[in-house]
Amino acid sequence: MFRFTRMVMSVSSGMSATVGGAAGWAGMTRWLRSVSSRSIDGAAGARGTASSGGGKGGEEVLLSKSDPPEVDGAVLGLAIPDARLTVEMPEGVETVAELDGVVGAIHGFPGNSQDYRYMGPLLTEKNMAMIRLIVPGFNGTPRLSPPPASSGLNINDVVAQRLLDNVAGLPASSLGSASPQGARLLDEMASHDVPLMLVGHSFGSVLATAALNLITPPAGLRVGGVLLAPVGYRKHRGLRASPEAVFWLGRHLPFVLDYWPFRDQIWKGFKAFGFHRTTAYECVTAMKYVAHLDFDRHKALGAAVPCPLAVCYATDDKLIEPEIFHDIVANLEPEVVRELDSGGHNIQKDRVHDVVDALVELQAKLPAFPASGSRN
């Protein structure tokens, strides 16, 4: 998503030389640690206090003491500190039973729950509640560290499970103050035939796809998935703009990306693609998660989703080319497709009416969630 400066290119060249030389992996690790250490010490000595956000005037961005610590992604069921979500309800609705649907929305990388701020009012007009979720590592929440390879877990699956836990753990009273005390939200939804729609935008579609394979809803709950400008099964133009070395580091030596010069260049790269209202910490979080994306596995999970789907995208998307969207549609065979001639990458903002119409159309086609785990 960015072009490295000459200095960073020389770092990448040094990495290649070290990998190919006699020193091997151990030598590469020592070299990278020494580069990171020297960069931090030198920059801190020159400017003093570390920056907590994107910096000013293109200055290097250091690891900030105010950045939240990582949470061990290998510990399943671990509560996320400061987990946040925003709930929007139709006016006058006091119980879950009165709703016509609940929408859980997962933002992209980098991003936050504000990315769905235009959808909420349209959904509440249709008597639906909206839960805008925060992906761990954004909006000031701690990111999850990748679980060890021996666990058989992928970091994106773990993040998806955390988001599901956030929804499944909600009491019904959080969406309807007069709902039965102690009742779980999903149980109340199932008993009153209130469907759950899980929406994912951009890389949030990867999390939504994983979540729809992980969810174990109560019997009778109708579930659907809506993928907006979704990430496909090969690198799109936005990802191809990033040096492969950054993805390698994100998988094998992720701590390096938190330090100058990598952190600074990652942040600048996202800014070049239009992500102006995000912090360096969030940009590094995005790269760490994206680095672990297994495209083949993502494709297989998509084909295995056990509920109806809708796919919406714009042909003028500057990050993801239409051919990738076409591959997604062919693989998923979604019940609803919206190919829009404009709207760019953020169709949940710029084509929000079309997106909501597609969601409503899909919801009308939802059967009860099958116990067999099959769409049919």
Side-chain angles (χ1 to χ4, degrees), residues 1-132:
M1 298 176 183
F2 48 86
R3 295 179 181 273
F4 270 131
T5 62
R6 290 183 180 179
M7 176 177 60
V8 180
M9 287 300 294
S10 69
V11 169
S12 300
S13 300
M15 285 171 44
S16 300
T18 306
V19 171
W25 298 104
M28 178 178 177
T29 303
R30 288 195 299 271
W31 179 82
L32 283 167
R33 287 186 184 276
S34 68
V35 168
S36 297
S37 177
R38 289 197 304 271
S39 298
I40 296 166
D41 292 343
R47 287 201 305 278
T49 306
S51 168
S52 61
K56 296 181 179 180
E59 292 183 355
E60 296 87 355
V61 181
L62 309 181
L63 183 66
S64 170
K65 294 179 180 179
S66 65
D67 286 340
E70 290 190 357
V71 175
D72 189 354
V75 183
L76 292 176
L78 182 69
I80 304 250
D82 299 323
R84 302 171 192 171
L85 50 81
T86 301
V87 175
E88 296 179 71
M89 288 284 291
E91 187 176 355
V93 171
E94 297 183 347
T95 66
V96 171
E98 298 173 63
L99 292 168
D100 290 327
V102 174
V103 177
I106 305 173
H107 62 77
F109 299 171
N112 57 60
S113 61
Q114 284 293 98
D115 293 348
Y116 288 103
R117 61 189 180 276
Y118 300 115
M119 281 186 67
L122 296 183
L123 291 172
T124 57
E125 286 179 2
K126 298 181 181 296
N127 200 41
M128 297 182 189
M130 186 175 200
I131 304 172
R132 293 191 267 154

Side-chain angles (χ1 to χ4, degrees), residues 61-247:
V61 181
L62 309 181
L63 183 66
S64 170
K65 294 179 180 179
S66 65
D67 286 340
E70 290 190 357
V71 175
D72 189 354
V75 183
L76 292 176
L78 182 69
I80 304 250
D82 299 323
R84 302 171 192 171
L85 50 81
T86 301
V87 175
E88 296 179 71
M89 288 284 291
E91 187 176 355
V93 171
E94 297 183 347
T95 66
V96 171
E98 298 173 63
L99 292 168
D100 290 327
V102 174
V103 177
I106 305 173
H107 62 77
F109 299 171
N112 57 60
S113 61
Q114 284 293 98
D115 293 348
Y116 288 103
R117 61 189 180 276
Y118 300 115
M119 281 186 67
L122 296 183
L123 291 172
T124 57
E125 286 179 2
K126 298 181 181 296
N127 200 41
M128 297 182 189
M130 186 175 200
I131 304 172
R132 293 191 267 154
L133 297 161
I134 297 294
V135 176
F138 300 91
N139 274 63
T141 60
R143 72 170 72 107
L144 301 185
S145 62
S150 59
S151 69
L153 300 171
N154 181 285
I155 182 60
N156 295 307
D157 296 334
V158 176
V159 173
Q161 185 65 61
R162 293 296 194 280
L163 296 176
L164 280 178
D165 292 344
N166 286 345
V167 175
L170 287 174
S173 57
S174 63
L175 267 71
S177 58
S179 294
Q181 290 300 311
R184 287 197 328 144
L185 173 62
L186 296 186
D187 291 334
E188 280 292 287
M189 290 172 61
S191 63
H192 296 286
D193 192 26
V194 178
L196 173 65
M197 305 292 288
L198 197 60
V199 179
H201 171 249
S202 191
F203 207 90
S205 68
V206 175
L207 300 182
T209 299
L212 289 169
N213 278 276
L214 291 167
I215 191 171
T216 53
L221 180 64
R222 294 192 291 149
V223 179
V226 181
L227 309 181
L228 309 178
V231 169
Y233 314 126
R234 64 182 188 273
K235 285 185 178 180
H236 52 259
R237 62 169 67 99
L239 293 181
R240 292 197 302 271
S242 303
E244 183 58 36
V246 177
F247 298 105

